[in-house]
Amino acid sequence: MPEGPIVHSELAALTRRFEEVAQKHDREFGIIKSYLTAVRLPIGNLDQKVETLDKKIDRNQAQIIELLT
């Protein structure tokens, strides 16, 4: 069956829609990636603070045990 102008126009429309969706997904992925990068920095700082707090708690517990014995 020969391809007519309707088939070509439908194919062109589908191609345009596909490319538009692909561009939208690329933009959204870029936004999500930048948000994740921005969130990663505070999480790293929180990890350091928790680690420091754990060390202080360990020292305090050791002092309490020493005082009780």
Side-chain angles (χ1 to χ4, degrees):
M1 176 177 351
E3 293 180 7
I6 295 174
V7 172
H8 285 288
S9 66
E10 288 294 320
L11 183 59
L14 287 173
T15 301
R16 273 194 310 277
R17 280 189 236 147
F18 175 81
E19 290 171 351
E20 288 169 0
V21 169
Q23 288 174 355
K24 181 181 176 187
H25 286 160
D26 288 346
R27 283 191 306 272
E28 290 173 352
F29 179 76
I31 291 168
I32 291 170
K33 187 176 176 184
S34 68
Y35 283 149
L36 289 175
T37 300
V39 167
R40 190 180 304 148
L41 295 173
I43 288 175
N45 291 339
L46 284 175
D47 284 344
Q48 283 181 323
K49 289 179 181 181
V50 167
E51 189 175 317
T52 302
L53 190 58
D54 280 343
K55 289 177 184 176
K56 282 184 178 181
I57 290 171
D58 289 343
R59 279 195 311 266
N60 288 343
Q61 285 178 341
Q63 287 176 344
I64 290 169
I65 290 171
E66 185 179 322
L67 291 172
L68 290 174
T69 57

